[in-house]
Amino acid sequence: METWAQEAEEASKDSGKARLSGRIHILGMGNAALFVAHSLARRPSVPPITLMMHSPAVYHSWKDARQSISLQANGLEDIRTGFDVNVLENKTWYSIPYEADEVDEAEDRPPEPEFADVSLEGEFELEETLKSEHDDREIECLIVAGPASMTVAAVDSVKDRLTPDSTVLILSNGMGLLEEINDKIFPDSKTRPCYMQGLVTHDIHRRKRGYQFDHVDVGSTILGFPLEAGLSQAEAEKMHSGLWPPTAKYLLHTLTNTAPLVATAASPTDLLLHQLEKLAIQCVLLPLTALMQVKNGDILYNYSITRVMRLLLLEISSVICALPEIQSVPGVEARFSPERLRRMVTQLADRTADETSTMSQDVHHRRTTEIEYLNGYIVRRGEELGLSPAMNYMIKHLILGKSYEIKQREASAIPIDVPTAQTPRMFPAFRKNSEDFKNSE
């Protein structure tokens, strides 16, 4: 098997450019990001890996976890170290190389506390004595794995370190992210990096402590180049087959040869079809469990919810089958029929019956949900095609409304839809009417 250095040299050959460094940056500290990092660290030849952390607080939690990622599968614990780190502080990235001495010193510390949300900025600062330096070096290969609602901001934080020779792999739920990234960050097509997208179907559960995970169910990783707007299926595949930058060749070759990922390369059209299937499932399972605040399996035994599910799938199927990008693909109507999509939803809900969906967790913890990139995407594409996806529009705003209501409740606010100028006059009357009502009981 080739070493990572040989893979980097092979990818750089005939490009007329300097040999690649082979370093892979991973932006995000969620399950998918750390699973990819752990899988790369299990290769016989481990490439240089840099974990990018969005605040000093996250870095301190990483140090408390002895700078290691632990994955348990089939009853066996596998701990990997050796990761370099980039930390974002005050919109500046700082590089912190891995040092085994610090890990040895950490062995004498007490066990790390229960894992908590350490995403707040400003709680910690990088110590003056820390061996860190400003890092503005070009990023060759970047993997962005995290919530879709945070992906655009994540890419924006490293935009000055990306060039047209860079490759960005996005592993996020939902669709429509690339269009938003191009619109907000890279409006000039000449300065854009090369994009790749992927789907990770491995079932990874995070434990309560630090960076420890359970590999519950082996899945697969599907990688490919996105189908660009305005190009036919044949044109897109012909273009991508000949214009891959060296960084894209290296990243794709490295990931597909990383055994734990079970990664395969897909054509732009096949990648799109897999994305649409996952989108259809998540447009039903995630918002319904979030609205009802139930586990995934609970929606299977509720007659009223199954009625809503069928109406949603009818609408989602009609929008997907009308997309111009896949009109030349045979068998689209059968692949995205409402009945087949319903079976896929129920199978996933049954397989993960005791799990809580990510959107349900986001709503509960008052985090921004991915609804705009799920049902919101169906609404946008449906309207472009002259359709009226009313059910998806309603679901989208129910989620937005529920999130808003929870935040208002936490802030002890009373939402009243009246002009601001009338508020002082309205509240006394409201209190008086309430008192009269109570006295009349």
Side-chain angles (χ1 to χ4, degrees):
M1 185 177 183
E2 290 183 327
T3 65
W4 68 265
Q6 291 171 327
E7 291 174 345
E9 186 173 356
E10 179 66 24
S12 307
K13 188 169 43 177
D14 301 328
S15 67
K17 299 180 180 179
R19 176 185 171 278
L20 298 176
S21 69
R23 181 168 294 276
I24 298 175
H25 289 73
I26 300 177
L27 180 51
M29 298 298 284
N31 294 8
L34 295 178
F35 174 65
V36 172
H38 185 277
S39 299
L40 287 170
R42 290 177 61 185
R43 285 170 52 95
S45 176
V46 181
I49 304 169
T50 297
L51 302 180
M52 307 190 76
M53 304 178 183
H54 64 274
S55 75
V58 177
Y59 175 69
H60 279 264
S61 75
W62 170 251
K63 286 184 66 178
D64 290 339
R66 300 178 175 87
Q67 304 180 54
S68 64
I69 304 173
S70 173
L71 188 73
Q72 187 176 76
N74 300 319
L76 300 176
E77 193 87 8
D78 187 61
I79 301 175
R80 298 288 164 168
T81 60
F83 305 99
D84 297 324
V85 170
N86 274 189
V87 182
L88 182 65
E89 184 180 32
N90 297 325
K91 298 183 179 181
T92 300
W93 287 101
Y94 293 90
S95 175
I96 307 174
Y98 173 79
E99 292 189 5
D101 293 342
E102 292 188 4
V103 178
D104 294 337
E105 293 174 4
E107 295 295 336
D108 298 328
R109 300 177 192 165
E112 69 272 13
E114 291 286 309
F115 183 80
D117 184 1
V118 290
S119 60
L120 296 178
E121 297 281 356
E123 286 194 1
F124 299 90
E125 294 182 358
L126 294 176
E127 299 96 329
E128 294 180 1
T129 58
L130 200 61
K131 296 179 181 178
S132 63
E133 59 180 16
H134 173 58
D135 193 349
D136 58 358
R137 289 171 291 183
E138 174 188 337
I139 294 176
E140 294 175 345
C141 300
L142 175 66
I143 299 175
V144 183
S149 55
M150 302 296 293
T151 298
V152 177
V155 174
D156 186 60
S157 69
V158 295
K159 64 181 180 181
D160 295 331
R161 300 176 62 184
L162 297 173
T163 71
D165 293 325
S166 303
T167 294
V168 179
L169 168 61
I170 296 178
L171 301 174
S172 299
N173 291 330
M175 299 186 67
L177 278 168
L178 292 186
E179 292 83 350
E180 187 174 350
I181 290 172
N182 287 339
D183 182 57
K184 295 182 177 180
I185 304 175
F186 298 110
D188 185 358
S189 60
K190 295 180 181 179
T191 63
R192 290 173 191 163
C194 175
Y195 295 124
M196 290 175 59
Q197 288 185 301
L199 304 174
V200 179
T201 62
H202 295 270
D203 194 2
I204 309 294
H205 290 184
R206 193 169 200 151
R207 297 186 221 158
K208 290 184 178 180
R209 285 191 179 276
Y211 298 87
Q212 300 176 350
F213 300 85
D214 292 321
H215 196 174
V216 178
D217 188 24
V218 176
S220 63
T221 305
I222 301 172
L223 305 171
F225 296 89
L227 190 65
E228 296 187 18
L231 295 179
S232 67
Q233 175 186 353
E235 290 172 336
E237 295 181 3
K238 181 180 179 181
M239 184 192 75
H240 282 298
S241 63
L243 295 180
W244 291 357
T247 53
K249 296 177 183 178
Y250 169 72
L251 183 59
L252 186 62
H253 189 271
T254 300
L255 294 178
T256 52
N257 284 279
T258 300
L261 292 177
V262 195
T264 58
S267 69
T269 302
D270 286 339
L271 174 66
L272 177 61
L273 294 175
H274 285 293
Q275 288 177 309
L276 289 171
E277 280 185 345
K278 186 174 182 180
L279 176 75
I281 295 171
Q282 292 183 326
C283 280
V284 175
L285 189 60
L286 268 60
L288 291 184
T289 53
L291 289 170
M292 300 294 292
Q293 284 294 289
V294 297
K295 294 186 182 296
N296 292 347
D298 294 336
I299 69 169
L300 299 175
Y301 308 104
N302 187 317
Y303 174 80
S304 298
I305 293 299
T306 58
R307 297 297 94 191
V308 175
M309 185 191 305
R310 286 182 178 274
L311 290 173
L312 269 175
L313 289 173
L314 281 169
E315 196 171 88
I316 292 168
S317 174
S318 64
V319 172
I320 291 178
C321 290
L323 293 176
E325 302 96 302
I326 57 175
Q327 288 305 299
S328 61
V329 179
V332 166
E333 291 79 7
R335 182 166 183 167
F336 294 99
S337 68
E339 183 57 28
R340 181 174 181 271
L341 294 178
R342 186 192 65 81
R343 288 197 301 270
M344 295 175 69
V345 171
T346 54
Q347 287 171 4
L348 180 60
D350 183 62
R351 192 167 66 248
T352 60
D354 296 326
E355 297 179 18
T356 302
S357 70
T358 54
M359 188 174 292
S360 185
Q361 296 176 46
D362 289 339
V363 170
H364 179 73
H365 294 291
R366 304 182 302 282
R367 296 191 292 255
T368 303
T369 68
E370 299 174 313
I371 194 68
E372 291 287 357
Y373 304 98
L374 299 174
N375 302 78
Y377 178 81
I378 293 293
V379 171
R380 291 192 299 274
R381 295 307 307 270
E383 291 176 344
E384 290 173 6
L385 297 168
L387 304 175
S388 300
M391 285 293 297
N392 282 272
Y393 182 85
M394 180 185 68
I395 290 293
K396 167 190 165 181
H397 283 280
L398 282 173
I399 290 292
L400 294 175
K402 188 173 183 67
S403 300
Y404 176 79
E405 183 267 337
I406 291 176
K407 292 178 181 178
Q408 290 293 98
R409 188 196 310 158
E410 291 292 328
S412 300
I414 303 176
I416 297 180
D417 189 16
V418 296
T420 305
Q422 296 183 19
T423 302
R425 182 170 56 84
M426 293 288 288
F427 269 91
F430 174 78
R431 287 196 294 269
K432 182 178 184 301
N433 291 338
S434 299
E435 292 171 358
D436 291 344
F437 177 76
K438 290 179 180 178
N439 294 333
S440 66
E441 292 183 334

